[in-house]
Amino acid sequence: MPEHNPLNAIAGYAEAFAAKLALEEGGSDFQEVRGEVGSTVVQLHPKRLALEVAEIIDETPSTRTLRLVAADGQPLPPFQAGQYVNLFVEIDGVHTARPYAMSSSPLQRMHYDLTVKRAQGGFVSHYLLDGVSVGQRLTSSGPMGTFHHNPLFHGDDLVFLAGGSGAAPARSILLNILDRQLPQRLHMVYVNSHVDDVIFAEELRELAARHANFTLSEVISRPPAGYAGHSGRLTLETLRALLGEVGERMFYICGPTPFNDSCVALLGELGVARRRIRVEANGAPKTPHEQAGWPAGVALEDEVQVTVRGRGSFRSQVGEPLLNALERNGYFVENACRSGECSLCRVKLVAGNVFNPQEAHLRQSDRDFGWIYACVAFPTGDIEILL
């Protein structure tokens, strides 16, 4: 192997190449390493993790952080800052799951911090905030997701627009930069409704004061009387004042769906190319009927019948995502993102019609062969599916 080979710069490449040459000379049927690859993959990308609640940290009146450790006491699988795990729970006999981004640093392998904010009308968030205690066992997927900084393509000048609990992946990305002493600069524009809603408030302010490569801009949309900081909705004028020239920065957006949509539109007006905007999906749309293509005469409150071929049927409302309805009626479908991206929850639509919103990232093959993503599919009439 020539010494000037640029691949030598890759960690482990020279050793792997030497091992390959040795195998070519001596021959092997690889029985001596049987199962090692599969074992390594499972350790790094487990389908399920057995977790235990080690600590519950009060962040704000509406938010808590669950500090989760491996039930066997071992280090947890590594993750990219910004990724999530899908947390599986059983609530009143209903088996369901929700994705939560790790808010802790990827360098901390002995625990994952999942920061949960109470969602209005929420099902799982209420349970996690009110019904979970220290010592309780929980199950999750392994780390997943593509919402993370890629140093090869995203550059070193980063802006994170966070709304509410969108601060969770932002904190993880920030801690990763600071803990590793990376060269990236991060400007976090953090929007909350009220002054007591600001998650990680003191920590973020202290880190911004100590680190020149971290800038924090707080915006309170419903400020108290006499509030002196940035207030009101995030507007074009506010962004211009906070960011100045956008240049070639990479933008990350995470918050409630309306916040995400508004931020994408504002950045477009500022001239930011869409390829330089990364948005963390945040569940099925709450108002799918307001999107283009919604069938005329169909209301979210209309009832439809869902038939699972060979297994039974049930009634559901049009405005309830199909995955939620299936879980509520005792049918399990593998899932992770619950936002139309990962495709794990896809089911076969045998008869009838569903509305696939803009969040449904269906592949052409899915459309050709009648597959739908249950987490963001809305039955607009009676349907039959195959699980």
Side-chain angles (χ1 to χ4, degrees), residues 132-360:
V132 169
S133 56
V134 172
Q136 185 168 335
R137 295 292 179 92
L138 295 170
T139 301
S140 80
S141 69
M144 315 178 71
T146 60
F147 186 76
H148 56 81
H149 176 253
N150 184 325
L152 292 178
F153 299 102
H154 298 176
D156 292 338
D157 201 351
L158 317 177
V159 178
F160 200 118
L161 307 182
S165 59
R171 178 179 185 257
S172 185
I173 291 174
L174 170 64
L175 292 178
N176 185 57
I177 292 172
L178 299 181
D179 291 350
R180 296 180 188 271
Q181 298 183 350
L182 298 176
Q184 284 84 35
R185 298 175 297 282
L186 177 64
H187 186 163
M188 180 177 175
V189 179
Y190 190 15
V191 181
N192 285 279
S193 296
H194 305 284
V195 292
D196 61 355
D197 281 340
V198 185
I199 309 169
F200 315 127
E202 294 306 318
E203 178 190 32
L204 292 174
R205 292 164 190 163
E206 188 270 335
L207 289 174
R210 284 200 296 118
H211 296 277
N213 60 333
F214 174 48
T215 302
L216 175 66
S217 298
E218 297 181 54
V219 180
I220 302 298
S221 60
R222 300 174 186 174
Y227 182 75
H230 297 286
S231 61
R233 294 173 61 87
L234 195 60
T235 64
L236 197 61
E237 292 70 25
T238 302
L239 275 181
R240 280 188 177 133
L242 294 176
L243 302 178
E245 293 295 325
V246 296
E248 290 298 308
R249 295 175 181 173
M250 177 61 72
F251 289 82
Y252 303 82
I253 302 172
C254 184
T257 301
F259 172 84
N260 294 350
D261 293 342
S262 173
C263 287
V264 170
L266 290 173
L267 292 178
E269 291 186 62
L270 284 175
V272 180
R274 187 61 182 83
R275 63 183 174 81
R276 303 205 66 80
I277 304 173
R278 299 186 59 78
V279 183
E280 175 68 309
N282 195 13
K286 302 295 189 296
T287 56
H289 60 300
E290 296 179 358
Q291 293 191 19
W294 183 265
V298 176
L300 297 182
E301 299 77 21
D302 292 346
E303 280 204 353
V304 297
Q305 179 161 300
V306 177
T307 299
V308 181
R309 177 172 285 187
R311 297 176 60 181
S313 61
F314 58 87
R315 303 291 294 178
S316 176
Q317 287 192 326
V318 168
E320 182 177 22
L322 178 59
L323 178 59
N324 292 25
L326 287 165
E327 291 175 336
R328 186 171 50 80
N329 287 277
Y331 296 93
F332 175 78
V333 178
E334 189 68 47
N335 65 88
C337 73
R338 302 183 77 96
S339 302
E341 293 198 337
C342 74
S343 81
L344 282 179
C345 68
R346 68 179 193 155
V347 301
K348 179 84 168 180
L349 181 64
V350 178
N353 294 294
V354 302
F355 177 71
N356 295 307
Q358 62 189 20
E359 287 80 0

Side-chain angles (χ1 to χ4, degrees), residues 93-155:
V94 176
H95 293 269
T96 186
R98 293 294 185 275
Y100 288 98
M102 277 73 78
S103 58
S104 46
S105 169
L107 269 65
Q108 172 52 257
R109 293 279 304 283
M110 294 309 297
H111 68 255
Y112 292 158
D113 282 350
L114 304 188
T115 300
V116 182
K117 184 178 176 68
R118 191 180 302 276
Q120 184 175 3
F123 183 48
V124 175
S125 66
H126 289 316
Y127 169 74
L128 294 177
L129 293 173
D130 303 329
V132 169
S133 56
V134 172
Q136 185 168 335
R137 295 292 179 92
L138 295 170
T139 301
S140 80
S141 69
M144 315 178 71
T146 60
F147 186 76
H148 56 81
H149 176 253
N150 184 325
L152 292 178
F153 299 102
H154 298 176

